[in-house]
Coordinates of all heavy atoms in Angstrom, one line a residue:
H35 N 143.9 51.7 -58.9 CA 144.6 53.0 -58.9 C 144.9 53.4 -57.5 O 144.2 53.0 -56.5 CB 143.7 54.1 -59.5 CG 143.3 53.8 -61.0 ND1 144.3 54.0 -62.0 CD2 142.2 53.4 -61.5 CE1 143.7 53.6 -63.1 NE2 142.4 53.3 -62.9
G36 N 146.0 54.1 -57.3 CA 146.4 54.5 -56.0 C 145.3 55.4 -55.3 O 144.7 56.3 -56.0
D37 N 145.0 55.1 -54.0 CA 144.0 55.9 -53.3 C 144.4 56.4 -52.0 O 144.2 57.6 -51.7 CB 142.8 55.0 -53.2 CG 141.5 55.7 -52.7 OD1 141.3 56.8 -53.2 OD2 140.9 55.2 -51.8
L38 N 145.1 55.6 -51.2 CA 145.5 56.0 -49.8 C 146.9 55.5 -49.5 O 147.4 54.6 -50.2 CB 144.6 55.3 -48.8 CG 143.1 55.6 -48.9 CD1 142.3 54.7 -47.9 CD2 142.8 57.1 -48.5
V39 N 147.5 56.1 -48.5 CA 148.7 55.6 -47.9 C 148.5 55.5 -46.4 O 148.1 56.4 -45.8 CB 149.9 56.6 -48.2 CG1 151.2 56.2 -47.5 CG2 150.1 56.9 -49.7
V40 N 148.9 54.3 -45.9 CA 148.8 54.0 -44.5 C 150.2 53.9 -44.0 O 151.0 53.3 -44.5 CB 148.0 52.7 -44.3 CG1 147.9 52.4 -42.8 CG2 146.6 52.8 -44.9
M41 N 150.4 54.6 -42.8 CA 151.8 54.5 -42.2 C 151.6 54.6 -40.7 O 150.6 55.1 -40.2 CB 152.7 55.6 -42.7 CG 152.3 57.0 -42.3 SD 153.4 58.3 -42.9 CE 153.0 58.4 -44.6
S42 N 152.7 54.2 -40.0 CA 152.7 54.3 -38.5 C 152.8 55.7 -38.1 O 153.3 56.6 -38.9 CB 153.8 53.5 -38.0 OG 155.1 54.1 -38.3
V43 N 152.4 56.0 -36.9 CA 152.5 57.3 -36.3 C 154.0 57.7 -36.3 O 154.4 58.9 -36.5 CB 151.9 57.4 -35.0 CG1 152.2 58.8 -34.3 CG2 150.3 57.3 -35.1
A44 N 154.9 56.8 -35.9 CA 156.3 57.0 -35.8 C 156.9 57.5 -37.2 O 157.6 58.5 -37.2 CB 157.0 55.8 -35.3
L45 N 156.5 56.9 -38.2 CA 157.0 57.2 -39.6 C 156.4 58.6 -39.9 O 157.1 59.5 -40.5 CB 156.6 56.2 -40.6 CG 157.0 56.5 -42.1 CD1 158.5 56.7 -42.2 CD2 156.5 55.5 -43.0
Y46 N 155.2 58.8 -39.6 CA 154.5 60.2 -39.9 C 155.3 61.3 -39.2 O 155.6 62.3 -39.8 CB 153.1 60.1 -39.5 CG 152.4 61.5 -39.7 CD1 152.0 61.9 -41.0 CD2 152.2 62.3 -38.6 CE1 151.4 63.1 -41.1 CE2 151.6 63.5 -38.8 CZ 151.2 63.9 -40.0 OH 150.6 65.2 -40.2
E47 N 155.5 61.1 -37.9 CA 156.2 62.1 -37.1 C 157.7 62.3 -37.7 O 158.1 63.5 -37.7 CB 156.2 61.7 -35.7 CG 154.9 61.8 -35.0 CD 154.8 61.3 -33.6 OE1 155.8 60.7 -33.1 OE2 153.8 61.6 -32.9
K48 N 158.3 61.3 -38.1 CA 159.7 61.4 -38.6 C 159.6 62.2 -39.9 O 160.5 63.1 -40.1 CB 160.2 60.0 -38.9 CG 161.6 60.0 -39.5 CD 162.1 58.6 -39.8 CE 163.4 58.5 -40.4 NZ 163.9 57.2 -40.7
Q49 N 158.7 62.0 -40.8 CA 158.5 62.7 -42.0 C 158.2 64.2 -41.7 O 158.7 65.1 -42.4 CB 157.5 62.1 -42.9 CG 158.0 60.8 -43.5 CD 157.0 60.2 -44.5 OE1 155.8 60.6 -44.6 NE2 157.5 59.2 -45.3
Q50 N 157.3 64.4 -40.7 CA 157.0 65.8 -40.4 C 158.2 66.5 -39.9 O 158.4 67.7 -40.2 CB 155.8 65.8 -39.4 CG 154.5 65.4 -39.9 CD 154.0 66.2 -41.1 OE1 154.0 65.8 -42.2 NE2 153.7 67.5 -40.8
A51 N 159.0 65.9 -39.1 CA 160.2 66.5 -38.5 C 161.2 66.8 -39.7 O 161.8 67.9 -39.6 CB 160.9 65.5 -37.5
L52 N 161.3 65.9 -40.6 CA 162.2 66.2 -41.8 C 161.7 67.4 -42.6 O 162.5 68.3 -43.0 CB 162.3 65.0 -42.7 CG 163.2 63.9 -42.3 CD1 163.1 62.7 -43.2 CD2 164.7 64.4 -42.3
L53 N 160.4 67.5 -42.8 CA 159.8 68.7 -43.5 C 160.1 70.0 -42.8 O 160.4 71.0 -43.4 CB 158.3 68.5 -43.7 CG 157.9 67.4 -44.7 CD1 156.4 67.2 -44.7 CD2 158.4 67.8 -46.1
E54 N 160.0 69.9 -41.4 CA 160.2 71.1 -40.6 C 161.7 71.5 -40.7 O 162.1 72.7 -40.8 CB 159.9 70.8 -39.2 CG 160.0 72.0 -38.3 CD 159.5 71.7 -36.8 OE1 158.6 70.9 -36.7 OE2 160.1 72.3 -35.9
L55 N 162.6 70.5 -40.7 CA 164.0 70.7 -40.8 C 164.4 71.3 -42.2 O 165.1 72.3 -42.3 CB 164.8 69.4 -40.6 CG 166.3 69.5 -40.8 CD1 167.0 70.5 -39.8 CD2 166.9 68.1 -40.8
Y56 N 163.8 70.8 -43.2 CA 164.0 71.3 -44.6 C 163.6 72.8 -44.7 O 164.2 73.6 -45.3 CB 163.3 70.5 -45.7 CG 163.9 69.1 -45.8 CD1 163.1 68.1 -46.2 CD2 165.2 68.8 -45.6 CE1 163.6 66.8 -46.3 CE2 165.8 67.6 -45.7 CZ 164.9 66.5 -46.1 OH 165.4 65.3 -46.2
A57 N 162.4 73.1 -44.1 CA 161.9 74.5 -44.1 C 162.9 75.4 -43.3 O 163.2 76.5 -43.8 CB 160.5 74.6 -43.4
K58 N 163.4 75.0 -42.2 CA 164.4 75.8 -41.4 C 165.7 76.0 -42.2 O 166.3 77.0 -42.2 CB 164.6 75.2 -40.1 CG 163.5 75.3 -39.1 CD 163.7 74.7 -37.8 CE 162.5 74.8 -36.9 NZ 162.8 74.2 -35.6
L59 N 166.1 74.9 -42.9 CA 167.3 75.0 -43.7 C 167.1 76.0 -44.9 O 168.0 76.8 -45.2 CB 167.7 73.6 -44.2 CG 168.3 72.7 -43.2 CD1 168.5 71.3 -43.8 CD2 169.7 73.2 -42.7
A60 N 166.0 76.0 -45.5 CA 165.7 76.9 -46.6 C 165.7 78.3 -46.1 O 166.2 79.2 -46.7 CB 164.4 76.5 -47.2
E61 N 165.1 78.5 -44.9 CA 165.1 79.9 -44.3 C 166.5 80.3 -44.0 O 166.8 81.5 -44.2 CB 164.2 79.8 -43.0 CG 164.0 81.1 -42.3 CD 163.2 81.0 -41.1 OE1 162.3 80.1 -41.0 OE2 163.5 81.8 -40.1
A62 N 167.3 79.4 -43.4 CA 168.7 79.8 -43.1 C 169.5 80.1 -44.4 O 170.3 81.0 -44.4 CB 169.3 78.7 -42.3
E63 N 169.2 79.4 -45.4 CA 169.9 79.7 -46.7 C 169.6 81.0 -47.2 O 170.5 81.8 -47.7 CB 169.6 78.6 -47.7 CG 170.4 78.6 -48.9 CD 170.3 77.4 -49.9 OE1 170.0 76.3 -49.4 OE2 170.4 77.6 -51.1
V64 N 168.3 81.4 -47.2 CA 167.9 82.7 -47.6 C 168.5 83.8 -46.8 O 169.1 84.8 -47.3 CB 166.3 82.8 -47.6 CG1 165.9 84.3 -47.8 CG2 165.7 82.0 -48.7
E65 N 168.6 83.5 -45.5 CA 169.1 84.5 -44.5 C 170.7 84.7 -44.8 O 171.2 85.8 -44.7 CB 168.9 84.1 -43.1 CG 169.3 85.1 -42.0 CD 169.0 84.6 -40.6 OE1 167.9 84.1 -40.4 OE2 169.8 84.8 -39.8
S66 N 171.3 83.5 -45.1 CA 172.8 83.6 -45.3 C 173.1 84.4 -46.6 O 174.2 84.9 -46.7 CB 173.4 82.2 -45.3 OG 173.1 81.6 -46.6

Side-chain angles (χ1 to χ4, degrees):
H35 300 285
D37 189 44
L38 301 169
V39 177
V40 178
M41 67 178 75
S42 69
V43 170
L45 179 60
Y46 175 78
E47 288 174 346
K48 181 179 175 183
Q49 289 183 345
Q50 290 300 113
L52 278 173
L53 289 173
E54 187 177 326
L55 175 62
Y56 293 149
K58 287 179 180 179
L59 287 172
E61 182 181 329
E63 189 172 327
V64 168
E65 188 176 316
S66 75

